[in-house]
Amino acid sequence: MWTLPTAPARADGDTGRMTVVVFYKLLAIFIAVAIGWFVGRMRWLGDSQAGGSGGDPARVLSSAAFYIFVPALLFRTTARVEFAALPWATLTAFFVPVIGLMLGVYGVQRWRGAGRAAVAVPSVQAITASFGNTLQVGVPLAAGVFGEAGLAIHITVVSLHALTLLTVLTLLVELDLARERARDQAESLLRTLAITVRNTVIHPVVLPVLAGLLFNAAGFTLPAVLDEVLQMLGTAVVPLCLTLIGMSLAYYGWPRAWRGALGLAALKLLLLPALVLLLAHWGLGLSGMPLGVIVMMAALPAGSNALIFAQRYRCMEGETTAAIVISTLCFVLSAPLWLALLAYLKL
Protein backbone atom coordinates (compact mmCIF):
# COMPACT_ATOMS: atom_id res chain seq x y z
CA MET A 1 0.00 0.00 0.00
CA TRP A 2 1.53 3.32 -1.07
CA THR A 3 1.37 6.23 1.35
CA LEU A 4 2.94 9.66 1.53
CA PRO A 5 5.05 10.71 3.29
CA THR A 6 5.26 7.73 5.68
CA ALA A 7 6.18 5.08 3.13
CA PRO A 8 9.41 3.38 4.14
CA ALA A 9 10.97 3.92 0.72
CA ARG A 10 10.68 7.69 0.96
CA ALA A 11 12.27 9.26 4.00
CA ASP A 12 11.71 12.87 4.94
CA GLY A 13 15.04 13.80 3.41
CA ASP A 14 14.04 12.07 0.17
CA THR A 15 10.74 13.95 0.10
CA GLY A 16 12.56 17.22 0.65
CA ARG A 17 15.01 16.45 -2.14
CA MET A 18 12.09 15.53 -4.39
CA THR A 19 10.52 18.92 -3.73
CA VAL A 20 13.76 20.67 -4.59
CA VAL A 21 14.21 18.64 -7.79
CA VAL A 22 10.69 19.39 -9.00
CA PHE A 23 11.10 23.06 -8.10
CA TYR A 24 14.34 23.27 -10.09
CA LYS A 25 12.68 21.57 -13.05
CA LEU A 26 9.82 24.08 -12.99
CA LEU A 27 12.32 26.92 -12.64
CA ALA A 28 14.29 25.58 -15.61
CA ILE A 29 11.08 25.46 -17.66
CA PHE A 30 10.29 29.10 -16.90
CA ILE A 31 13.87 30.15 -17.70
CA ALA A 32 13.69 28.39 -21.08
CA VAL A 33 10.33 30.07 -21.76
CA ALA A 34 11.81 33.43 -20.73
CA ILE A 35 14.72 32.93 -23.12
CA GLY A 36 12.27 32.25 -25.94
CA TRP A 37 10.27 35.33 -24.97
CA PHE A 38 13.40 37.50 -24.93
CA VAL A 39 14.52 36.23 -28.33
CA GLY A 40 11.04 36.88 -29.72
CA ARG A 41 10.83 40.28 -28.10
CA MET A 42 14.18 41.32 -29.55
CA ARG A 43 13.11 39.94 -32.95
CA TRP A 44 16.49 38.24 -33.35
CA LEU A 45 14.95 35.56 -35.58
CA GLY A 46 12.91 38.03 -37.61
CA ASP A 47 9.56 39.72 -37.29
CA SER A 48 6.08 38.35 -37.68
CA GLN A 49 4.30 39.34 -40.88
CA ALA A 50 0.57 39.24 -41.36
CA GLY A 51 0.92 38.38 -45.04
CA GLY A 52 2.13 34.83 -44.55
CA SER A 53 3.96 32.33 -42.42
CA GLY A 54 7.33 32.86 -44.06
CA GLY A 55 8.13 35.82 -41.82
CA ASP A 56 6.86 34.28 -38.59
CA PRO A 57 9.79 32.60 -36.81
CA ALA A 58 7.54 30.96 -34.21
CA ARG A 59 5.58 29.14 -36.91
CA VAL A 60 8.75 28.24 -38.82
CA LEU A 61 10.26 26.63 -35.71
CA SER A 62 6.93 24.97 -34.92
CA SER A 63 6.85 23.48 -38.42
CA ALA A 64 10.39 22.17 -37.93
CA ALA A 65 9.28 20.48 -34.73
CA PHE A 66 6.11 19.09 -36.33
CA TYR A 67 7.76 17.78 -39.51
CA ILE A 68 11.18 16.65 -38.21
CA PHE A 69 11.59 16.24 -34.46
CA VAL A 70 8.15 15.02 -33.33
CA PRO A 71 7.91 12.37 -36.11
CA ALA A 72 11.36 11.07 -35.13
CA LEU A 73 10.27 10.79 -31.50
CA LEU A 74 6.98 9.05 -32.35
CA PHE A 75 8.52 6.58 -34.79
CA ARG A 76 11.27 5.58 -32.37
CA THR A 77 8.75 5.17 -29.55
CA THR A 78 6.33 2.96 -31.47
CA ALA A 79 9.14 0.93 -33.08
CA ARG A 80 10.63 0.06 -29.67
CA VAL A 81 7.62 -0.35 -27.36
CA GLU A 82 6.92 -3.91 -26.13
CA PHE A 83 3.14 -4.14 -26.33
CA ALA A 84 2.97 -7.62 -24.80
CA ALA A 85 4.53 -6.38 -21.57
CA LEU A 86 2.33 -3.31 -21.11
CA PRO A 87 0.15 -3.06 -17.95
CA TRP A 88 -3.15 -2.76 -19.76
CA ALA A 89 -5.30 -2.21 -16.67
CA THR A 90 -3.19 0.78 -15.64
CA LEU A 91 -3.16 2.15 -19.19
CA THR A 92 -6.94 1.75 -19.44
CA ALA A 93 -7.44 3.55 -16.12
CA PHE A 94 -5.41 6.48 -17.44
CA PHE A 95 -6.34 6.77 -21.10
CA VAL A 96 -10.11 6.22 -20.85
CA PRO A 97 -10.67 9.36 -18.70
CA VAL A 98 -8.08 11.35 -20.66
CA ILE A 99 -9.59 10.53 -24.03
CA GLY A 100 -13.07 10.92 -22.54
CA LEU A 101 -12.31 14.46 -21.33
CA MET A 102 -10.65 15.27 -24.63
CA LEU A 103 -13.69 14.13 -26.62
CA GLY A 104 -16.00 15.88 -24.13
CA VAL A 105 -14.26 19.24 -24.56
CA TYR A 106 -14.23 18.74 -28.31
CA GLY A 107 -17.92 17.87 -28.39
CA VAL A 108 -18.98 20.76 -26.17
CA GLN A 109 -17.04 23.26 -28.25
CA ARG A 110 -18.51 21.87 -31.45
CA TRP A 111 -22.00 22.08 -29.93
CA ARG A 112 -21.38 25.67 -28.87
CA GLY A 113 -20.25 26.53 -32.39
CA ALA A 114 -16.67 27.35 -31.37
CA GLY A 115 -15.39 26.05 -34.68
CA ARG A 116 -17.32 28.44 -36.90
CA ALA A 117 -14.66 31.14 -36.89
CA ALA A 118 -11.76 28.67 -37.04
CA VAL A 119 -12.44 25.01 -37.78
CA ALA A 120 -9.66 23.72 -35.53
CA VAL A 121 -10.81 25.50 -32.34
CA PRO A 122 -12.55 22.46 -30.73
CA SER A 123 -9.54 20.22 -31.35
CA VAL A 124 -7.02 22.76 -30.08
CA GLN A 125 -8.99 23.34 -26.89
CA ALA A 126 -9.39 19.57 -26.43
CA ILE A 127 -5.66 18.88 -26.64
CA THR A 128 -4.83 21.78 -24.32
CA ALA A 129 -7.17 20.41 -21.65
CA SER A 130 -5.89 16.84 -21.88
CA PHE A 131 -2.25 16.73 -23.03
CA GLY A 132 0.12 16.81 -20.06
CA ASN A 133 3.76 17.81 -19.64
CA THR A 134 4.85 14.23 -19.05
CA LEU A 135 8.58 14.71 -19.67
CA GLN A 136 9.94 18.00 -18.29
CA VAL A 137 7.74 17.92 -15.17
CA GLY A 138 6.36 14.38 -15.07
CA VAL A 139 9.62 12.41 -15.08
CA PRO A 140 11.27 14.17 -12.10
CA LEU A 141 7.98 14.15 -10.20
CA ALA A 142 7.47 10.41 -10.71
CA ALA A 143 11.09 9.62 -9.86
CA GLY A 144 11.10 11.81 -6.77
CA VAL A 145 7.78 10.69 -5.29
CA PHE A 146 7.53 7.03 -6.34
CA GLY A 147 11.13 5.98 -6.99
CA GLU A 148 12.37 3.74 -9.80
CA ALA A 149 9.33 1.46 -9.76
CA GLY A 150 6.96 4.41 -10.14
CA LEU A 151 9.13 5.97 -12.83
CA ALA A 152 8.93 2.73 -14.82
CA ILE A 153 5.13 2.91 -14.75
CA HIS A 154 5.24 6.59 -15.72
CA ILE A 155 7.55 5.94 -18.68
CA THR A 156 5.30 3.11 -19.85
CA VAL A 157 2.30 5.46 -19.99
CA VAL A 158 4.45 8.15 -21.64
CA SER A 159 5.35 5.72 -24.42
CA LEU A 160 1.71 5.76 -25.58
CA HIS A 161 0.73 9.27 -24.47
CA ALA A 162 1.68 11.46 -27.43
CA LEU A 163 0.93 8.93 -30.14
CA THR A 164 -2.55 8.18 -28.76
CA LEU A 165 -3.75 11.73 -28.08
CA LEU A 166 -2.16 13.35 -31.12
CA THR A 167 -3.48 10.64 -33.43
CA VAL A 168 -7.07 10.96 -32.16
CA LEU A 169 -7.00 14.77 -32.32
CA THR A 170 -5.45 14.72 -35.79
CA LEU A 171 -8.28 12.51 -37.03
CA LEU A 172 -10.90 14.84 -35.51
CA VAL A 173 -9.44 18.05 -36.90
CA GLU A 174 -8.90 16.56 -40.36
CA LEU A 175 -12.52 15.40 -40.38
CA ASP A 176 -13.63 18.92 -39.48
CA LEU A 177 -11.45 20.42 -42.20
CA ALA A 178 -12.77 17.95 -44.76
CA ARG A 179 -16.35 18.73 -43.73
CA GLU A 180 -15.74 22.44 -44.11
CA ARG A 181 -14.05 21.96 -47.48
CA ALA A 182 -16.92 19.80 -48.73
CA ARG A 183 -19.41 22.45 -47.62
CA ASP A 184 -17.54 25.22 -49.42
CA GLN A 185 -16.72 23.30 -52.59
CA ALA A 186 -19.77 21.03 -52.76
CA GLU A 187 -17.59 17.92 -52.94
CA SER A 188 -19.07 14.44 -53.09
CA LEU A 189 -19.11 12.28 -49.98
CA LEU A 190 -16.70 9.78 -51.55
CA ARG A 191 -14.18 12.49 -52.44
CA THR A 192 -14.49 14.01 -48.98
CA LEU A 193 -13.76 10.65 -47.34
CA ALA A 194 -10.81 10.05 -49.67
CA ILE A 195 -9.28 13.44 -48.86
CA THR A 196 -9.84 12.91 -45.13
CA VAL A 197 -8.15 9.50 -45.16
CA ARG A 198 -5.22 10.83 -47.20
CA ASN A 199 -4.71 13.90 -44.99
CA THR A 200 -5.03 11.82 -41.83
CA VAL A 201 -2.63 9.05 -42.86
CA ILE A 202 -0.07 11.19 -44.71
CA HIS A 203 0.43 13.40 -41.70
CA PRO A 204 3.57 14.20 -39.69
CA VAL A 205 1.98 12.67 -36.57
CA VAL A 206 -0.02 9.70 -37.83
CA LEU A 207 2.37 8.47 -40.53
CA PRO A 208 5.39 7.89 -38.25
CA VAL A 209 3.10 6.19 -35.71
CA LEU A 210 1.75 3.79 -38.35
CA ALA A 211 5.24 3.20 -39.74
CA GLY A 212 6.58 2.48 -36.26
CA LEU A 213 3.73 0.07 -35.50
CA LEU A 214 4.33 -1.83 -38.74
CA PHE A 215 8.07 -1.89 -38.06
CA ASN A 216 7.38 -3.21 -34.57
CA ALA A 217 4.84 -5.80 -35.71
CA ALA A 218 7.29 -7.15 -38.30
CA GLY A 219 9.77 -7.91 -35.51
CA PHE A 220 12.48 -5.60 -36.82
CA THR A 221 15.05 -3.94 -34.61
CA LEU A 222 16.29 -0.41 -35.20
CA PRO A 223 19.93 -0.35 -36.39
CA ALA A 224 22.20 1.32 -33.85
CA VAL A 225 23.00 4.28 -36.11
CA LEU A 226 19.35 4.92 -37.03
CA ASP A 227 18.32 4.61 -33.38
CA GLU A 228 20.97 7.17 -32.42
CA VAL A 229 19.79 9.59 -35.12
CA LEU A 230 16.15 9.27 -34.08
CA GLN A 231 17.03 9.71 -30.41
CA MET A 232 19.09 12.80 -31.21
CA LEU A 233 16.26 14.35 -33.22
CA GLY A 234 13.68 13.41 -30.58
CA THR A 235 15.60 15.13 -27.78
CA ALA A 236 15.21 18.44 -29.62
CA VAL A 237 11.44 18.42 -29.03
CA VAL A 238 11.57 19.52 -25.37
CA PRO A 239 13.87 22.58 -25.59
CA LEU A 240 12.35 23.69 -28.89
CA CYS A 241 8.81 23.52 -27.52
CA LEU A 242 9.73 25.45 -24.38
CA THR A 243 11.38 28.29 -26.28
CA LEU A 244 8.42 28.31 -28.67
CA ILE A 245 6.11 29.04 -25.74
CA GLY A 246 8.12 32.14 -24.90
CA MET A 247 8.36 33.23 -28.52
CA SER A 248 4.62 32.82 -28.94
CA LEU A 249 4.03 35.09 -25.93
CA ALA A 250 6.29 37.69 -27.54
CA TYR A 251 4.72 37.48 -31.00
CA TYR A 252 1.06 36.87 -30.19
CA GLY A 253 0.83 38.52 -26.77
CA TRP A 254 -1.39 37.54 -23.86
CA PRO A 255 -4.92 36.73 -25.09
CA ARG A 256 -7.69 39.15 -24.26
CA ALA A 257 -9.99 36.25 -23.40
CA TRP A 258 -7.65 34.95 -20.70
CA ARG A 259 -10.54 33.37 -18.80
CA GLY A 260 -10.75 30.70 -21.49
CA ALA A 261 -7.12 29.80 -20.87
CA LEU A 262 -7.81 29.70 -17.14
CA GLY A 263 -10.73 27.33 -17.71
CA LEU A 264 -8.58 24.99 -19.80
CA ALA A 265 -5.93 25.01 -17.08
CA ALA A 266 -8.56 24.15 -14.45
CA LEU A 267 -9.79 21.21 -16.53
CA LYS A 268 -6.25 19.91 -16.83
CA LEU A 269 -5.14 20.39 -13.22
CA LEU A 270 -8.36 19.56 -11.35
CA LEU A 271 -10.99 17.73 -13.37
CA LEU A 272 -8.77 15.30 -15.28
CA PRO A 273 -6.94 13.83 -12.24
CA ALA A 274 -10.29 13.55 -10.44
CA LEU A 275 -11.71 11.51 -13.33
CA VAL A 276 -8.64 9.26 -13.40
CA LEU A 277 -8.86 8.71 -9.64
CA LEU A 278 -12.55 7.80 -9.81
CA LEU A 279 -12.22 5.32 -12.66
CA ALA A 280 -8.88 3.84 -11.63
CA HIS A 281 -9.73 3.12 -7.99
CA TRP A 282 -13.50 2.84 -7.73
CA GLY A 283 -14.01 1.59 -11.27
CA LEU A 284 -11.07 -0.74 -11.94
CA GLY A 285 -9.85 -1.37 -8.40
CA LEU A 286 -6.34 0.04 -8.77
CA SER A 287 -4.53 1.07 -5.61
CA GLY A 288 -1.05 1.74 -4.29
CA MET A 289 1.75 2.98 -6.48
CA PRO A 290 0.14 2.45 -9.94
CA LEU A 291 -2.85 4.52 -8.84
CA GLY A 292 -0.66 7.30 -7.46
CA VAL A 293 1.47 7.44 -10.61
CA ILE A 294 -1.39 7.82 -13.08
CA VAL A 295 -3.31 10.30 -10.90
CA MET A 296 -0.24 12.54 -10.64
CA MET A 297 0.40 12.09 -14.35
CA ALA A 298 -3.12 13.28 -15.07
CA ALA A 299 -2.54 16.24 -12.73
CA LEU A 300 0.46 17.51 -14.73
CA PRO A 301 0.24 20.96 -16.37
CA ALA A 302 -0.62 21.32 -20.06
CA GLY A 303 2.15 20.14 -22.36
CA SER A 304 3.94 22.18 -24.98
CA ASN A 305 2.85 19.81 -27.77
CA ALA A 306 -0.54 21.52 -27.55
CA LEU A 307 1.11 24.71 -28.81
CA ILE A 308 2.72 22.90 -31.74
CA PHE A 309 -0.71 21.49 -32.59
CA ALA A 310 -2.27 24.98 -32.39
CA GLN A 311 0.42 26.46 -34.60
CA ARG A 312 0.11 23.63 -37.08
CA TYR A 313 -3.50 24.63 -37.70
CA ARG A 314 -2.94 28.37 -37.03
CA CYS A 315 -5.59 28.50 -34.37
CA MET A 316 -5.66 29.87 -30.81
CA GLU A 317 -1.88 30.16 -30.41
CA GLY A 318 -2.22 32.91 -27.82
CA GLU A 319 -4.82 31.16 -25.66
CA THR A 320 -2.97 27.84 -25.83
CA THR A 321 0.28 29.52 -24.79
CA ALA A 322 -1.46 31.23 -21.89
CA ALA A 323 -3.08 27.98 -20.75
CA ILE A 324 0.31 26.25 -20.70
CA VAL A 325 1.91 29.05 -18.69
CA ILE A 326 -1.03 29.35 -16.24
CA SER A 327 -1.26 25.59 -15.65
CA THR A 328 2.50 25.32 -15.09
CA LEU A 329 2.40 28.14 -12.56
CA CYS A 330 -0.64 26.74 -10.75
CA PHE A 331 0.87 23.24 -10.71
CA VAL A 332 3.13 24.43 -7.90
CA LEU A 333 -0.01 24.64 -5.75
CA SER A 334 -2.16 21.85 -7.21
CA ALA A 335 0.46 19.06 -7.11
CA PRO A 336 0.88 19.12 -3.29
CA LEU A 337 -2.91 19.07 -2.93
CA TRP A 338 -3.25 15.90 -5.02
CA LEU A 339 -0.34 14.25 -3.20
CA ALA A 340 -1.94 15.15 0.14
CA LEU A 341 -5.32 13.79 -0.99
CA LEU A 342 -3.79 10.48 -2.09
CA ALA A 343 -1.97 10.17 1.22
CA TYR A 344 -5.11 11.06 3.19
CA LEU A 345 -7.29 8.52 1.36
CA LYS A 346 -4.60 5.80 1.77
CA LEU A 347 -5.74 4.05 -1.36
Side-chain angles (χ1 to χ4, degrees), residues 46-57 59 251 314:
D47 203 349
S48 177
Q49 299 176 359
S53 63
D56 190 334
R59 285 203 175 105
Y251 281 109
R314 301 191 180 186

Side-chain angles (χ1 to χ4, degrees), residues 20-253:
V20 172
V21 169
V22 173
F23 172 77
Y24 282 152
K25 285 293 182 179
L26 290 172
L27 182 60
I29 288 174
F30 288 120
I31 291 175
V33 171
I35 291 173
W37 177 86
F38 183 76
V39 170
R41 188 73 173 176
M42 298 299 293
R43 299 302 192 260
W44 283 349
L45 300 183
D47 203 349
S48 177
Q49 299 176 359
S53 63
D56 190 334
R59 285 203 175 105
V60 171
L61 291 179
S62 178
S63 296
F66 211 78
Y67 285 99
I68 301 174
F69 304 117
V70 171
L73 178 64
L74 293 176
F75 176 80
R76 183 174 184 268
T77 300
T78 51
R80 290 163 53 92
V81 67
E82 298 181 7
F83 290 98
L86 292 178
W88 290 108
T90 303
L91 293 173
T92 300
F94 177 80
F95 281 108
V96 168
V98 171
I99 295 176
L101 177 64
M102 184 177 68
L103 295 177
V105 172
Y106 171 84
V108 169
Q109 295 305 319
R110 285 266 303 170
W111 175 72
R112 294 175 58 186
R116 291 173 184 169
V119 180
V121 166
S123 298
V124 171
Q125 290 188 327
I127 194 172
T128 306
S130 58
F131 199 103
N133 190 332
T134 57
L135 294 177
Q136 304 103 306
V137 180
V139 168
L141 179 69
V145 177
F146 305 104
E148 291 185 6
L151 181 60
I153 298 173
H154 179 87
I155 293 299
T156 300
V157 181
V158 169
S159 68
L160 299 177
H161 183 256
L163 65 92
T164 300
L165 300 190
L166 288 177
T167 301
V168 173
L169 262 302
T170 296
L171 176 61
L172 290 177
V173 73
E174 290 297 338
L175 282 171
D176 287 341
L177 290 171
R179 239 186 258 109
E180 191 70 16
R181 186 168 46 248
R183 186 182 301 114
D184 293 341
Q185 301 177 7
E187 293 177 343
S188 65
L189 177 61
L190 184 61
R191 177 172 171 76
T192 299
L193 290 176
I195 293 175
T196 302
V197 172
R198 184 192 65 188
N199 290 346
T200 302
V201 174
I202 305 176
H203 189 279
V205 168
V206 179
L207 189 59
V209 169
L210 294 177
L213 290 175
L214 291 175
F215 188 92
N216 194 324
F220 298 141
T221 302
L222 287 173
V225 175
L226 178 58
D227 185 62
E228 184 69 24
V229 170
L230 293 174
Q231 184 180 19
M232 179 179 61
L233 293 175
T235 55
V237 172
V238 170
L240 182 58
C241 288
L242 291 178
T243 52
L244 272 174
I245 293 172
M247 289 185 64
S248 297
L249 283 175
Y251 281 109
Y252 309 135

